[in-house]
């Protein structure tokens, strides 16, 4: 694998279901902490297109009403299982379903209130994003 030459822009989503609960997924890539689903933005793809694609791939959910929430920088932090430089663009979104089908990037999921999420073992960038919703 070649060494990363540029920061990797990514989207992360705080997804609200019809019960106004948010989706948290546990990921081995983030040392088995709970995170928001999301991923990289492909060349030629808008933030919204990346968000819809990544969420569909990782959870099987269709999302709508996507709104920008915040930005974080991750520069070679120990939180991720590889040495990477990310630019996290985090959004909120809604889904009309609570039926999640995970791919291999997450091991489990929970729909929780914002306060319940803050009581979980969250990866710290996820925590900072969720705190913005209080």
């Amino acid at each position: 694998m070649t060494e990363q030459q540029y920061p990797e822009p990514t989207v992360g989503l705080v997804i609200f279901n019809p019960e106004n609960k948010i989706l948290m997924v546990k990921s081995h890539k983030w040392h088995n902490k709970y995170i928001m689903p999301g991923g990289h933005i492909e060349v030629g793809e808008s933030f919204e297109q990346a968000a819809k694609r990544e969420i569909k791939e990782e959870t099987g959910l269709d999302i709508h009403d996507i709104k920008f929430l915040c930005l974080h920088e991750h520069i070679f932090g120990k939180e991720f299982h590889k040495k990477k430089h990310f630019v996290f663009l985090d959004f909120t979104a809604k889904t009309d379903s609570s039926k999640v089908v995970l791919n291999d990037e997450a091991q489990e999921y929970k729909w929780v209130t914002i306060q319940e999420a803050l009581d979980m073992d969250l990866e710290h960038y996820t925590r900072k994003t969720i705190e913005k919703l209080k």
Side-chain angles (χ1 to χ4, degrees):
M1 179 175 193
T2 61
E3 193 170 314
Q4 185 179 11
Q5 294 183 333
Y6 302 100
E8 183 175 341
T10 63
V11 292
L13 282 291
V14 179
I15 302 169
F16 288 87
N17 71 5
E19 290 78 40
N20 209 35
K21 291 189 174 185
I22 60 174
L23 179 63
M24 295 283 99
V25 298
K26 186 184 266 190
S27 174
H28 63 280
K29 291 180 177 182
W30 293 93
H31 303 295
N32 292 313
K33 301 235 184 232
Y34 281 92
I35 63 168
M36 305 170 298
H40 69 277
I41 301 167
E42 294 181 356
V43 173
E45 195 173 49
S46 71
F47 301 144
E48 185 171 322
Q49 289 168 332
K52 288 179 177 182
R53 177 187 51 76
E54 282 288 344
I55 297 310
K56 188 69 169 178
E57 288 174 5
E58 293 184 9
T59 69
L61 295 170
D62 292 312
I63 58 172
H64 58 89
D65 199 19
I66 300 166
K67 295 181 180 164
F68 179 74
L69 181 61
C70 62
L71 177 137
H72 298 289
E73 242 181 345
H74 167 94
I75 303 173
F76 307 133
K78 294 181 175 150
E79 298 84 5
F80 194 64
H81 71 117
K82 292 180 182 176
K83 185 178 176 182
K84 290 275 217 165
H85 181 172
F86 293 115
V87 176
F88 297 134
L89 300 160
D90 293 334
F91 298 83
T92 60
K94 294 179 182 175
T95 185
D96 296 328
S97 174
S98 294
K99 185 178 179 194
V100 175
V101 178
L102 297 175
N103 69 4
D104 62 354
E105 294 187 45
Q107 289 64 64
E108 61 185 70
Y109 73 92
K110 293 181 180 182
W111 289 103
V112 296
T113 65
I114 291 169
Q115 187 54 55
E116 288 169 336
L118 292 171
D119 292 336
M120 295 171 71
D121 187 17
L122 300 178
E123 174 277 321
H124 98 263
Y125 293 102
T126 297
R127 179 171 302 283
K128 288 170 60 175
T129 299
I130 301 298
E131 286 173 347
K132 293 191 176 295
L133 298 169
K134 291 189 339 183

